[in-house]
Coordinates of all heavy atoms in Angstrom, one line a residue:
M19 N 182.6 172.3 40.6 CA 181.7 173.1 39.8 C 182.6 174.2 39.1 O 183.4 174.8 39.8 CB 180.6 173.7 40.6 CG 179.6 174.4 39.7 SD 178.2 175.1 40.7 CE 177.3 173.7 41.3
E20 N 182.4 174.4 37.9 CA 183.2 175.6 37.2 C 182.8 176.9 37.5 O 181.7 177.0 38.1 CB 183.1 175.3 35.7 CG 183.8 174.1 35.2 CD 183.8 174.1 33.6 OE1 184.0 175.2 33.1 OE2 183.6 173.0 33.2
T21 N 183.7 177.9 37.4 CA 183.5 179.2 37.7 C 182.2 179.8 37.1 O 181.3 180.3 37.8 CB 184.6 180.1 37.3 OG1 185.8 179.6 37.8 CG2 184.4 181.5 37.6
I22 N 181.9 179.5 35.9 CA 180.7 180.0 35.2 C 179.4 179.5 35.9 O 178.5 180.2 36.2 CB 180.8 179.8 33.8 CG1 181.8 180.7 33.0 CG2 179.4 180.0 33.1 CD1 182.1 180.4 31.5
E23 N 179.5 178.1 36.0 CA 178.3 177.5 36.7 C 178.1 178.0 38.1 O 177.0 178.2 38.6 CB 178.5 176.0 36.7 CG 178.6 175.4 35.4 CD 179.1 173.8 35.3 OE1 179.7 173.5 36.4 OE2 178.8 173.2 34.4
R24 N 179.2 178.1 38.8 CA 179.0 178.7 40.3 C 178.5 180.1 40.2 O 177.5 180.4 41.0 CB 180.4 178.8 40.9 CG 180.6 177.8 42.0 CD 181.9 177.9 42.9 NE 182.9 178.8 42.3 CZ 184.0 178.5 41.7 NH1 184.1 177.3 41.3 NH2 184.8 179.4 41.2
N25 N 179.0 181.0 39.4 CA 178.4 182.4 39.3 C 176.9 182.3 38.8 O 176.2 183.1 39.4 CB 179.3 183.1 38.4 CG 180.5 183.6 39.1 OD1 180.7 183.8 40.2 ND2 181.7 183.6 38.2
Y26 N 176.6 181.5 37.9 CA 175.2 181.4 37.5 C 174.3 180.8 38.5 O 173.2 181.4 38.7 CB 175.1 180.6 36.1 CG 173.6 180.7 35.6 CD1 173.2 181.9 35.1 CD2 172.8 179.7 35.7 CE1 171.9 182.0 34.7 CE2 171.5 179.7 35.3 CZ 171.0 180.9 34.7 OH 169.8 181.0 34.1
Q27 N 174.8 179.8 39.3 CA 173.9 179.4 40.4 C 173.7 180.4 41.4 O 172.6 180.6 42.0 CB 174.7 178.2 41.1 CG 173.9 177.5 42.0 CD 172.5 176.9 41.5 OE1 172.6 176.2 40.4 NE2 171.4 177.0 42.0
Y28 N 174.7 181.2 41.7 CA 174.6 182.5 42.6 C 173.5 183.4 42.0 O 172.7 183.9 42.7 CB 175.9 183.1 42.7 CG 175.9 184.5 43.5 CD1 175.9 184.5 44.9 CD2 175.7 185.7 42.9 CE1 175.8 185.6 45.6 CE2 175.7 186.8 43.6 CZ 175.7 186.9 45.0 OH 175.5 188.0 45.7
F29 N 173.6 183.6 40.7 CA 172.6 184.5 40.1 C 171.2 184.0 40.3 O 170.3 184.7 40.7 CB 172.9 184.7 38.5 CG 171.9 185.4 37.8 CD1 171.8 186.9 37.9 CD2 171.0 184.9 37.0 CE1 170.9 187.6 37.3 CE2 170.0 185.5 36.3 CZ 170.0 186.9 36.4
K30 N 171.0 182.7 40.1 CA 169.6 182.1 40.2 C 169.2 182.2 41.7 O 168.1 182.5 42.0 CB 169.7 180.6 39.7 CG 169.8 180.6 38.2 CD 169.6 179.2 37.7 CE 169.8 178.0 38.6 NZ 169.8 176.7 37.9
N31 N 170.2 181.8 42.6 CA 169.8 181.7 44.0 C 169.4 183.1 44.6 O 168.7 183.2 45.6 CB 170.9 181.2 44.8 CG 171.1 179.6 44.5 OD1 170.2 179.0 44.0 ND2 172.2 179.1 45.0
N32 N 170.0 184.1 44.0 CA 169.7 185.5 44.5 C 169.2 186.4 43.6 O 169.2 187.6 43.7 CB 171.2 186.1 44.9 CG 171.8 185.3 46.0 OD1 171.6 185.4 47.2 ND2 172.8 184.4 45.7
F33 N 168.5 185.8 42.6 CA 167.8 186.6 41.5 C 167.0 187.7 41.9 O 167.2 188.9 41.5 CB 167.0 185.6 40.7 CG 166.3 186.2 39.5 CD1 166.9 186.5 38.4 CD2 164.9 186.6 39.6 CE1 166.2 187.2 37.4 CE2 164.3 187.3 38.6 CZ 164.9 187.6 37.4
N34 N 166.0 187.6 42.8 CA 165.2 188.7 43.2 C 165.9 189.8 43.8 O 165.6 191.1 43.5 CB 164.1 188.1 44.2 CG 163.2 187.3 43.6 OD1 162.8 187.4 42.3 ND2 162.6 186.3 44.3
E35 N 166.9 189.6 44.6 CA 167.7 190.7 45.1 C 168.5 191.4 44.1 O 168.8 192.6 44.1 CB 168.5 190.2 46.3 CG 169.1 191.3 47.2 CD 168.1 192.3 47.7 OE1 167.0 191.9 48.2 OE2 168.6 193.4 47.9
I36 N 169.1 190.6 43.3 CA 170.1 191.1 42.2 C 169.4 192.1 41.3 O 169.9 193.1 40.9 CB 170.8 189.9 41.6 CG1 171.8 189.2 42.5 CG2 171.5 190.5 40.3 CD1 172.4 187.9 41.9
V37 N 168.2 191.6 40.8 CA 167.5 192.4 39.7 C 166.7 193.6 40.3 O 166.3 194.5 39.6 CB 166.6 191.4 38.8 CG1 167.5 190.5 38.2 CG2 165.4 190.9 39.6
K38 N 166.4 193.5 41.6 CA 165.7 194.5 42.3 C 166.1 196.0 41.9 O 167.3 196.2 42.1 CB 165.6 194.3 43.8 CG 164.7 195.3 44.5 CD 164.7 195.0 46.0 CE 163.9 195.8 46.8 NZ 163.9 195.4 48.2
N39 N 165.3 196.8 41.3 CA 165.7 198.1 40.9 C 166.7 198.2 39.8 O 167.3 199.2 39.6 CB 166.3 199.0 42.1 CG 165.3 199.1 43.2 OD1 164.1 199.2 43.0 ND2 165.8 198.9 44.5
H40 N 166.9 197.1 39.0 CA 167.9 197.1 37.9 C 167.3 196.4 36.7 O 168.1 196.1 35.8 CB 169.1 196.4 38.4 CG 169.9 197.0 39.5 ND1 170.6 198.2 39.3 CD2 170.0 196.8 40.8 CE1 171.2 198.5 40.4 NE2 170.8 197.7 41.4
I41 N 166.0 196.4 36.6 CA 165.4 195.7 35.4 C 165.9 196.6 34.1 O 165.8 197.8 34.2 CB 163.8 195.8 35.5 CG1 163.4 195.0 36.7 CG2 163.3 195.2 34.2 CD1 163.8 193.6 36.7
G42 N 166.3 195.8 33.1 CA 166.8 196.4 31.9 C 168.3 196.6 31.9 O 168.9 197.0 30.9
E43 N 168.9 196.4 33.0 CA 170.4 196.6 33.1 C 171.1 195.1 33.0 O 170.4 194.2 33.0 CB 170.8 197.4 34.4 CG 170.3 198.7 34.4 CD 170.6 199.4 35.9 OE1 171.2 198.8 36.8 OE2 170.3 200.5 35.9
Y44 N 172.4 195.2 33.0 CA 173.2 194.0 32.9 C 174.1 194.0 34.2 O 174.7 194.8 34.5 CB 174.0 193.8 31.7 CG 173.1 193.7 30.4 CD1 172.5 194.7 30.0 CD2 173.0 192.3 29.9 CE1 171.7 194.5 28.8 CE2 172.3 192.2 28.8 CZ 171.6 193.3 28.3 OH 170.7 193.0 27.3
V45 N 174.0 192.8 34.9 CA 174.9 192.6 36.2 C 176.1 191.8 35.8 O 176.0 190.8 35.1 CB 174.1 192.1 37.2 CG1 173.6 190.7 36.9 CG2 174.8 192.0 38.6
V46 N 177.2 192.2 36.3 CA 178.5 191.4 36.3 C 178.6 190.8 37.6 O 178.5 191.3 38.7 CB 179.7 192.3 36.0 CG1 181.0 191.4 36.0 CG2 179.6 192.9 34.5
I47 N 178.8 189.4 37.5 CA 179.0 188.6 38.7 C 180.3 187.8 38.6 O 180.7 187.2 37.6 CB 177.9 187.5 38.9 CG1 176.5 188.3 39.1 CG2 178.2 186.6 40.1 CD1 175.4 187.5 39.2
K48 N 181.2 188.0 39.7 CA 182.5 187.2 39.7 C 182.6 186.8 41.2 O 182.3 187.4 42.1 CB 183.6 188.2 39.3 CG 185.0 187.4 39.4 CD 186.1 188.4 39.0 CE 187.5 187.8 39.1 NZ 187.6 186.5 39.6
D49 N 183.2 185.6 41.2 CA 183.4 184.9 42.6 C 182.1 185.0 43.4 O 182.2 185.3 44.6 CB 184.6 185.6 43.2 CG 185.9 185.4 42.5 OD1 186.0 184.3 41.8 OD2 186.7 186.1 42.6
C50 N 181.0 184.8 42.8 CA 179.7 184.7 43.5 C 179.4 186.0 44.2 O 178.8 186.0 45.4 CB 179.5 183.6 44.5 SG 179.7 182.0 43.6
A51 N 179.7 187.1 43.6 CA 179.4 188.5 44.1 C 179.1 189.4 43.0 O 179.7 189.3 41.9 CB 180.6 189.0 44.9
V52 N 178.2 190.3 43.2 CA 177.9 191.3 42.2 C 179.0 192.4 42.2 O 179.4 193.0 43.1 CB 176.5 192.1 42.5 CG1 176.3 193.3 41.7 CG2 175.4 191.1 42.4
I53 N 179.4 192.6 41.0 CA 180.6 193.5 40.8 C 180.1 194.9 40.4 O 180.4 195.9 41.1 CB 181.6 193.1 39.6 CG1 182.2 191.7 40.0 CG2 182.7 194.1 39.4 CD1 182.9 191.6 41.3
A54 N 179.1 194.9 39.4 CA 178.6 196.2 39.1 C 177.4 196.0 38.0 O 177.3 194.9 37.5 CB 179.7 197.1 38.4
Y55 N 176.7 197.0 37.8 CA 175.6 197.0 36.8 C 175.9 197.9 35.7 O 176.5 199.0 35.9 CB 174.3 197.4 37.4 CG 173.6 196.5 38.6 CD1 174.2 196.6 39.9 CD2 172.9 195.5 38.2 CE1 173.7 195.8 40.8 CE2 172.3 194.6 39.2 CZ 172.7 194.8 40.5 OH 172.2 194.0 41.5
F56 N 175.4 197.5 34.4 CA 175.8 198.3 33.2 C 174.6 198.4 32.4 O 173.6 197.6 32.4 CB 176.9 197.5 32.5 CG 178.2 197.6 33.2 CD1 178.5 196.5 34.0 CD2 179.0 198.6 33.2 CE1 179.6 196.4 34.8 CE2 180.3 198.5 34.0 CZ 180.5 197.4 34.8
K57 N 174.6 199.4 31.5 CA 173.4 199.6 30.6 C 173.4 198.7 29.4 O 172.3 198.4 28.9 CB 173.5 201.1 30.0 CG 174.7 201.3 29.1 CD 174.7 202.7 28.5 CE 175.8 203.1 27.8 NZ 175.8 203.2 26.5
D58 N 174.5 198.0 29.1 CA 174.5 197.0 28.0 C 175.6 196.0 28.4 O 176.4 196.1 29.1 CB 174.7 197.7 26.7 CG 175.9 198.4 26.5 OD1 177.1 197.9 26.8 OD2 175.9 199.6 26.2
I59 N 175.5 194.8 27.7 CA 176.4 193.7 28.0 C 177.8 194.1 27.6 O 178.8 193.7 28.3 CB 175.9 192.4 27.2 CG1 176.6 191.2 27.8 CG2 175.9 192.5 25.8 CD1 176.0 189.9 27.3
K60 N 178.0 194.7 26.5 CA 179.4 195.0 26.1 C 180.1 195.9 27.0 O 181.3 195.7 27.3 CB 179.3 195.8 24.7 CG 180.7 196.1 24.2 CD 180.6 196.8 22.8 CE 181.9 197.2 22.2 NZ 183.0 197.5 23.0
S61 N 179.4 196.9 27.7 CA 180.0 197.7 28.7 C 180.5 196.9 29.9 O 181.6 197.1 30.5 CB 179.0 198.7 29.2 OG 178.6 199.6 28.1
G62 N 179.7 195.9 30.2 CA 180.1 194.9 31.4 C 181.4 194.2 31.1 O 182.2 194.0 31.9
I63 N 181.3 193.6 29.9 CA 182.4 192.7 29.4 C 183.7 193.7 29.3 O 184.8 193.3 29.8 CB 182.1 192.1 28.1 CG1 181.1 191.1 28.3 CG2 183.5 191.5 27.5 CD1 180.5 190.4 27.0
D64 N 183.6 194.9 28.7 CA 184.7 195.7 28.6 C 185.3 196.2 29.9 O 186.5 196.2 30.0 CB 184.3 197.0 27.6 CG 184.1 196.7 26.3 OD1 184.4 195.7 25.7 OD2 183.5 197.6 25.6
Y65 N 184.4 196.4 30.8 CA 184.8 196.8 32.1 C 185.8 195.8 32.8 O 186.8 196.0 33.4 CB 183.6 197.1 33.1 CG 184.0 197.4 34.5 CD1 184.3 198.6 34.9 CD2 183.9 196.4 35.4 CE1 184.6 199.0 36.2 CE2 184.2 196.6 36.8 CZ 184.6 197.9 37.1 OH 184.9 198.2 38.5
M66 N 185.3 194.5 32.8 CA 186.1 193.4 33.3 C 187.3 193.1 32.6 O 188.3 192.9 33.2 CB 185.2 192.2 33.3 CG 183.9 192.2 34.3 SD 184.4 192.7 36.0 CE 184.8 191.1 36.6
I67 N 187.3 193.2 31.3 CA 188.5 193.0 30.5 C 189.6 194.1 30.8 O 190.7 193.8 31.1 CB 188.2 193.0 29.0 CG1 187.3 191.8 28.6 CG2 189.5 192.9 28.2 CD1 187.9 190.5 28.8
N68 N 189.1 195.3 30.9 CA 189.9 196.4 31.3 C 190.5 196.3 32.8 O 191.6 196.8 33.0 CB 189.3 197.8 31.1 CG 189.1 198.1 29.7 OD1 189.8 197.7 28.9 ND2 188.0 198.9 29.4
K69 N 189.8 195.6 33.6 CA 190.3 195.3 35.0 C 191.3 194.1 35.0 O 191.8 193.9 36.0 CB 189.2 195.0 35.9 CG 188.3 196.1 36.1 CD 189.0 197.1 37.1 CE 187.9 198.1 37.6 NZ 188.7 199.1 38.4
G70 N 191.5 193.5 33.8 CA 192.5 192.3 33.7 C 191.9 191.0 33.8 O 192.6 190.0 33.9
Y71 N 190.5 190.8 33.9 CA 189.9 189.6 34.0 C 189.7 189.0 32.6 O 189.6 189.7 31.5 CB 188.6 189.6 34.7 CG 188.8 190.1 36.1 CD1 188.3 191.4 36.5 CD2 189.4 189.3 37.1 CE1 188.5 191.9 37.8 CE2 189.5 189.8 38.3 CZ 189.0 191.0 38.7 OH 189.2 191.4 40.0
K72 N 189.7 187.6 32.5 CA 189.5 186.9 31.2 C 188.1 186.5 31.1 O 187.4 186.2 32.2 CB 190.5 185.8 31.0 CG 191.9 186.2 31.1 CD 192.9 185.0 31.1 CE 194.3 185.4 31.2 NZ 195.2 184.4 31.4
L73 N 187.6 186.3 29.9 CA 186.4 185.6 29.7 C 186.3 184.3 30.2 O 187.3 183.6 30.3 CB 186.0 185.6 28.2 CG 185.8 186.9 27.4 CD1 185.6 186.6 25.9 CD2 184.7 187.7 27.9
G74 N 185.3 184.0 31.0 CA 185.0 182.7 31.7 C 185.4 182.8 33.2 O 185.0 182.0 34.0
E75 N 185.9 184.0 33.6 CA 186.1 184.3 35.0 C 185.0 185.1 35.7 O 185.0 185.2 36.9 CB 187.4 185.1 35.2 CG 188.7 184.4 34.9 CD 189.9 185.2 35.0 OE1 189.9 186.4 35.0 OE2 191.0 184.5 35.0
F76 N 184.0 185.4 34.8 CA 182.8 186.2 35.3 C 181.7 185.9 34.4 O 181.9 185.5 33.3 CB 183.2 187.6 35.4 CG 183.6 188.4 34.0 CD1 182.5 188.9 33.2 CD2 184.9 188.3 33.6 CE1 182.9 189.4 32.0 CE2 185.3 188.8 32.4 CZ 184.3 189.3 31.5
I77 N 180.5 186.3 34.8 CA 179.4 186.3 33.8 C 178.7 187.7 33.8 O 178.9 188.5 34.7 CB 178.3 185.2 34.3 CG1 177.8 185.6 35.8 CG2 178.9 183.8 34.2 CD1 176.5 184.7 36.1
V78 N 177.9 187.9 32.8 CA 177.2 189.0 32.6 C 175.7 188.6 32.3 O 175.5 187.9 31.4 CB 177.7 190.0 31.5 CG1 176.8 191.3 31.3 CG2 179.2 190.3 31.7
Q79 N 174.8 189.0 33.1 CA 173.4 188.5 33.0 C 172.5 189.8 32.9 O 172.6 190.7 33.6 CB 172.9 187.7 34.3 CG 173.5 186.4 34.3 CD 173.1 185.5 33.2 OE1 173.9 184.7 32.8 NE2 171.9 185.5 32.8
E80 N 171.5 189.6 32.0 CA 170.5 190.7 31.9 C 169.5 190.6 33.1 O 169.1 189.5 33.6 CB 169.7 190.5 30.6 CG 168.7 191.5 30.4 CD 168.0 191.5 29.1 OE1 168.1 190.4 28.4 OE2 167.2 192.5 28.7
C81 N 169.2 191.8 33.6 CA 168.2 191.8 34.8 C 166.8 192.0 34.2 O 166.5 192.9 33.5 CB 168.6 193.1 35.7 SG 170.1 192.9 36.5
V82 N 166.0 190.9 34.3 CA 164.7 190.8 33.8 C 163.7 190.6 34.8 O 164.1 190.3 36.0 CB 164.6 189.6 32.6 CG1 165.4 190.0 31.5 CG2 165.0 188.4 33.3
K83 N 162.4 190.7 34.6 CA 161.4 190.6 35.6 C 161.3 189.1 36.2 O 161.1 188.9 37.5 CB 160.1 191.0 35.1 CG 160.0 192.6 35.0 CD 158.7 192.9 34.5 CE 158.6 194.5 34.2 NZ 157.4 195.0 33.8
K84 N 161.4 188.2 35.3 CA 161.3 186.8 35.7 C 162.5 186.1 35.1 O 163.0 186.3 34.1 CB 160.1 186.1 35.1 CG 158.7 186.7 35.6 CD 157.5 185.9 35.0 CE 157.6 186.1 33.5 NZ 156.4 185.4 32.8
I85 N 163.1 185.1 36.0 CA 164.3 184.5 35.6 C 164.1 183.6 34.3 O 165.0 183.5 33.6 CB 164.8 183.6 36.8 CG1 166.3 183.2 36.5 CG2 163.9 182.4 37.0 CD1 167.0 182.8 37.7
T86 N 162.9 183.2 34.0 CA 162.6 182.4 32.8 C 162.7 183.4 31.6 O 162.9 182.9 30.5 CB 161.3 181.8 32.9 OG1 160.2 182.8 33.2 CG2 161.3 180.7 33.9
D87 N 162.7 184.7 31.8 CA 162.9 185.6 30.7 C 164.3 185.6 30.2 O 164.5 186.0 29.1 CB 162.3 187.0 31.0 CG 160.9 187.2 31.3 OD1 160.1 186.2 30.9 OD2 160.6 188.1 31.9
N88 N 165.2 185.0 30.9 CA 166.6 185.0 30.7 C 167.0 183.8 29.9 O 168.1 183.7 29.4 CB 167.5 185.0 32.0 CG 168.3 186.3 32.1 OD1 168.5 187.0 31.1 ND2 168.7 186.4 33.4
M89 N 166.1 182.9 29.7 CA 166.4 181.6 28.9 C 166.1 181.8 27.5 O 165.1 182.3 27.1 CB 165.5 180.5 29.5 CG 165.9 180.2 31.0 SD 164.8 178.9 31.5 CE 165.3 178.9 33.2
A90 N 167.1 181.2 26.8 CA 166.9 181.3 25.3 C 166.6 179.7 24.9 O 167.3 178.8 25.4 CB 168.2 181.7 24.6
I91 N 165.8 179.6 24.1 CA 165.4 178.2 23.5 C 165.6 178.2 22.0 O 165.1 179.1 21.4 CB 164.0 177.8 23.9 CG1 163.8 177.8 25.4 CG2 163.6 176.5 23.3 CD1 162.3 177.7 25.8
Y92 N 166.3 177.2 21.5 CA 166.7 177.1 20.1 C 166.0 175.8 19.6 O 166.0 174.9 20.3 CB 168.2 177.0 19.9 CG 168.9 178.3 20.4 CD1 169.4 178.4 21.7 CD2 169.0 179.4 19.6 CE1 170.1 179.5 22.2 CE2 169.6 180.6 20.1 CZ 170.2 180.6 21.4 OH 170.7 181.7 21.9
H93 N 165.5 176.0 18.4 CA 164.8 174.8 17.7 C 165.5 174.7 16.4 O 166.1 175.6 15.8 CB 163.3 175.2 17.5 CG 162.5 175.4 18.7 ND1 162.0 174.4 19.4 CD2 162.2 176.5 19.4 CE1 161.4 174.9 20.4 NE2 161.5 176.1 20.5
S94 N 165.6 173.4 16.0 CA 166.2 173.0 14.8 C 165.4 172.1 14.1 O 164.8 171.1 14.7 CB 167.7 172.5 15.0 OG 168.3 172.1 13.9
N95 N 165.3 172.2 12.8 CA 164.6 171.2 12.0 C 165.7 170.3 11.4 O 166.6 170.8 10.7 CB 163.8 171.9 10.9 CG 162.7 172.7 11.4 OD1 162.0 172.3 12.4 ND2 162.3 173.7 10.7
V96 N 165.5 169.0 11.6 CA 166.4 168.0 11.0 C 165.6 167.2 10.1 O 164.5 166.7 10.3 CB 167.0 167.1 12.2 CG1 167.9 166.1 11.6 CG2 167.7 168.0 13.2
I97 N 166.2 167.1 8.8 CA 165.5 166.2 7.8 C 166.5 165.1 7.5 O 167.6 165.3 7.2 CB 165.3 167.0 6.5 CG1 164.4 168.3 6.8 CG2 164.8 166.2 5.4 CD1 164.3 169.2 5.6
M98 N 165.9 163.9 7.7 CA 166.7 162.7 7.5 C 166.2 162.1 6.2 O 165.1 162.0 5.9 CB 166.4 161.7 8.6 CG 166.6 162.2 10.0 SD 168.2 162.2 10.7 CE 168.6 160.5 10.7
A99 N 167.1 161.7 5.4 CA 166.9 161.1 4.0 C 166.9 159.6 4.1 O 167.5 159.1 4.9 CB 167.8 161.6 3.0

């Protein structure tokens, strides 16, 4: 399993504890551990980059009330001639 997938699985498995008291913030997760919480996604990414980590070595997730609120669904209209 890739790093991003492992970290996201950790986020899902520990969702209630991770978001508790942090709704509206963003959590950085690396190596299946919470690193820190931030007010916006950019702050979390900047923090990790400044620590020497590369994109793909960590995830940043929004802390929302329900895990399904974190999902984005995209629709596309395809017209076939």
Side-chain angles (χ1 to χ4, degrees):
M19 185 180 295
E20 288 188 39
T21 301
I22 292 173
E23 292 169 341
R24 250 190 349 264
N25 285 323
Y26 186 68
Q27 189 63 47
Y28 173 83
F29 174 75
K30 289 190 333 185
N31 291 346
N32 298 282
F33 177 80
N34 290 330
E35 189 61 33
I36 290 171
V37 303
K38 187 178 179 180
N39 301 317
H40 294 284
I41 300 299
E43 297 177 355
Y44 290 80
V45 61
V46 173
I47 298 173
K48 180 178 179 352
D49 298 330
C50 297
V52 171
I53 302 301
Y55 294 89
F56 298 89
K57 64 180 175 112
D58 57 58
I59 193 168
K60 184 178 181 323
S61 297
I63 293 170
D64 289 347
Y65 175 84
M66 293 301 282
I67 297 296
N68 289 334
K69 291 283 187 186
Y71 299 108
K72 296 177 184 169
L73 295 177
E75 295 180 341
F76 61 91
I77 64 170
V78 181
Q79 290 293 141
E80 185 178 8
C81 295
V82 291
K83 290 182 183 180
K84 296 184 299 185
I85 197 162
T86 55
D87 293 344
N88 245 342
M89 295 181 185
I91 299 172
Y92 299 94
H93 297 276
S94 176
N95 292 326
V96 177
I97 300 173
M98 308 274 299

